[in-house]
Amino acid sequence: TYQKGYDRLLPILAQIHNLTGFQWSLTVAGVGPQLHTLEKLTSDLGLANCVNFIGWSSSVNSLIQDSDIFLIL
């Protein structure tokens, strides 16, 4: 949802990516009414290779354990 702030996070990550060239990936678990809007924003920002929308996941614990940084939005 818009309360989670992905619409603000993605442009910030795009700036980091564009300014530094730092290679990173973001996995977004879950579904919601803003999913298609966020997918389009991701594409528009040139982040399609960096952001992976996986939908609903029962393996969130595994995702957390495999992460270098974990955000709850």
Side-chain angles (χ1 to χ4, degrees):
T1 64
Y2 70 90
Q3 294 99 339
K4 293 183 179 181
Y6 285 110
D7 59 327
R8 294 185 307 270
L9 175 65
L10 292 171
I12 293 168
L13 292 176
Q15 287 181 350
I16 292 169
H17 181 73
N18 293 335
L19 292 173
T20 67
F22 182 74
Q23 298 299 310
W24 52 268
S25 65
L26 172 66
T27 300
V28 179
V31 295
Q34 297 295 313
L35 179 60
H36 295 296
T37 301
L38 293 173
E39 289 173 328
K40 181 176 182 332
L41 177 60
T42 297
S43 178
D44 291 348
L45 292 170
L47 298 177
N49 291 330
C50 301
V51 181
N52 184 24
F53 293 94
I54 63 169
W56 186 88
S57 176
S58 63
S59 60
V60 173
N61 288 338
S62 175
L63 292 171
I64 293 169
Q65 290 173 353
D66 293 340
S67 299
D68 292 321
I69 298 172
F70 174 73
L71 301 172
I72 296 178
L73 300 174

